[in-house]
């Protein structure tokens, strides 16, 4: 995997059911190569639903395939929501590719029964 040069990966989470940022949601970032998935970073969202620093930046930033895993069920339960058993959404993996340098932003819009994502700016 070639180094893509200067770049960064950020994310944020919005709770669309409550209409506010999803604070306290755990996120893990993995690098995916062949059949392997290697954990390279983790964070918990702050009061703005954002991570305090990029999930990936500088020398660690490389072109390739990655996966952000959002602990949605834990977050939704922490809001006092009674989820079904099993929860419809518990762990949300989002696999994506980064092809070059620059800013990659992968947000999550979350509710108890649905989510969406996109490449943001």
């Amino acid at each position: 995997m070639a180094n893509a040069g200067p770049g960064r990966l950020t994310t944020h989470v919005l709770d669309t059911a409550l209409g506010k940022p999803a604070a306290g949601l755990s996120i893990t970032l993995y690098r995916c190569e062949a059949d392997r998935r290697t954990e390279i970073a983790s964070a918990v969202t702050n009061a703005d639903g954002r991570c305090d620093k990029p999930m990936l930046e500088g020398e660690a930033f490389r072109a390739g395939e990655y996966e952000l895993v959002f602990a949605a069920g834990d977050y939704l339960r922490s809001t006092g929501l009674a989820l079904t058993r099993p929860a419809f959404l518990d762990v949300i993996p989002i696999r994506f590719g980064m092809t070059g340098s620059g800013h990659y932003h992968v947000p999550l819009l979350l509710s108890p029964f649905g989510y969406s994502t996109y490449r943001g700016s």
Side-chain angles (χ1 to χ4, degrees):
M1 186 178 324
N3 191 338
R8 63 189 168 120
L9 169 66
T10 58
T11 187
H12 77 274
V13 185
L14 299 175
D15 184 329
T16 59
L18 296 178
K20 65 179 193 174
L25 192 146
S26 296
I27 305 166
T28 306
L29 175 66
Y30 296 89
R31 181 174 286 126
C32 303
E33 298 175 279
D35 294 346
R36 268 194 354 220
R37 193 175 77 150
T38 305
E39 182 177 333
I40 55 174
S42 62
V44 176
T45 57
N46 61 26
D48 290 326
R50 299 180 182 277
C51 301
D52 290 332
K53 64 180 188 166
M55 295 294 293
L56 193 61
E57 66 181 332
E59 291 299 314
F61 186 91
R62 297 176 178 259
E65 193 169 284
Y66 292 85
E67 188 172 89
L68 282 167
V69 178
F70 297 85
D74 290 344
Y75 163 76
L76 292 167
R77 282 185 284 279
S78 78
T79 68
L81 188 64
L83 298 180
T84 59
R85 291 183 190 255
F88 182 71
L89 294 175
D90 194 10
V91 175
I92 299 174
I94 298 174
R95 190 168 284 203
F96 57 97
M98 297 190 301
T99 58
S101 62
H103 182 195
Y104 286 79
H105 184 66
V106 182
L108 179 70
L109 307 178
L110 174 65
S111 75
F113 296 99
Y115 69 92
S116 65
T117 190
Y118 55 93
R119 181 175 176 189
S121 58

